[in-house]
């Protein structure tokens, strides 16, 4: 089994995608993260769902989640409104991490090694080794489903 | 909306659960991770799915995933067999990270702040502030589903 057999279509976003739209994509498709691509369709970064929350949660609550308790329940429910007007660009971590990218020929073991090394439950699959365009993604879920059946 | 309204039953494991069984739980229930509990049912740690892979992937492949390509496809598919005989205890990271735990009264904002701070798409919900027992979990997915509907 190779990446080409396991890769599935995967929703993408760009740096200019509104952060609220990114949150909706994550929720609607039950995704562990979004793949960000550049205008040529090359993977730029993987945006974990928890990073989108970072943009919506006030900084004082992130430093000390207990402080969030001062916000009452009705207002707490509305915190995602702080995403209004912000884009995915602002959700990205300051220090970019190693991007889990594999080509179509990668074996299951290569995909697993990439996930283990980058701690990403998602590998972007591209159509060439360097500067390839995104053709899909392999999730930890689909990888485990396959290897547990062997 | 509070943690008590969002928390759902969540599969747990202990330090002595076989690693292969943990991989099966992750795959069968489409989970981002497992909650590890002690014999009294108190949350000990959260085990991300990618950590289970770390135990199955040979160290030389983790250092350089490209080296995994020397293993042929048929054998690559079988890499999970290396989990045989190992337990969850061996999957845990050496340096324990802050555990995302909330009590039943935590608001949506508190849960989001915990997820953002710990970068965990999963918060364990306990029945008391200190040393409480696990009663369920809130996932990033269920949190986003709720706040996007408000």
């Amino acid at each position: 089994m190779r990446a080409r057999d396991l890769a599935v279509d995967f929703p993408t976003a760009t740096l200019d995608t509104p952060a609220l739209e990114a949150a909706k994509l994550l929720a609607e498709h039950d995704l562990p993260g979004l793949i960000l691509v550049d205008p040529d369709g090359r993977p730029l970064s993987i945006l974990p769902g928890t990073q989108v929350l970072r943009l919506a949660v006030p900084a004082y609550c992130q430093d000390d989640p207990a402080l969030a308790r001062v916000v009452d329940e009705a207002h707490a429910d509305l915190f995602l409104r702080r995403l209004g007007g912000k884009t995915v660009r602002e959700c990205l971590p300051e220090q970019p991490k190693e991007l889990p990218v594999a080509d179509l020929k990668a074996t299951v073991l290569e995909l697993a090694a990439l996930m283990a090394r980058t701690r990403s439950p998602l590998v972007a699959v591209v159509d060439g080794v360097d500067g390839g365009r995104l053709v899909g993604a392999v999730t930890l879920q689909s990888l485990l489903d396959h290897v547990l059946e062997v």
Side-chain angles (χ1 to χ4, degrees), chain A residues 5-136:
Chain A
D5 311 305
L6 286 170
V8 292
D9 274 346
F10 207 83
T12 59
T14 70
L15 291 176
D16 297 321
T17 300
L20 194 57
E21 201 177 306
K24 285 179 183 164
L25 270 175
L26 288 164
E28 275 163 27
H29 299 275
D30 274 357
L31 304 176
L34 286 179
I35 298 178
L36 305 185
V37 293
D38 71 11
D40 294 324
R42 288 183 298 236
L44 271 180
S45 184
I46 285 183
L47 179 71
T50 52
Q51 282 292 121
V52 179
L53 290 183
R54 285 181 84 82
L55 201 61
V57 172
Y60 69 89
C61 298
Q62 285 181 49
D63 296 338
D64 184 354
L67 288 180
R69 191 151 290 192
V70 302
V71 176
D72 66 38
E73 188 177 333
H75 285 94
D77 277 6
L78 302 175
F79 80 93
L80 219 61
R81 295 197 180 169
R82 284 172 50 100
L83 288 184
K86 294 180 181 172
T87 64
V88 161
R89 190 185 306 272
E90 295 163 76
C91 301
L92 291 184
E94 284 174 31
Q95 296 195 318
K97 291 200 296 183
E98 180 188 350
L99 193 61
V101 176
D103 65 49
L104 291 161
K105 285 183 290 188
T107 63
V108 169
L109 180 58
E110 284 177 77
L111 295 166
L114 262 174
M115 288 182 188
R117 180 188 169 94
T118 60
R119 296 168 191 256
S120 167
L122 192 61
V123 170
V125 179
V126 295
D127 61 6
V129 178
D130 287 314
R133 279 177 313 150
L134 184 78
V135 291

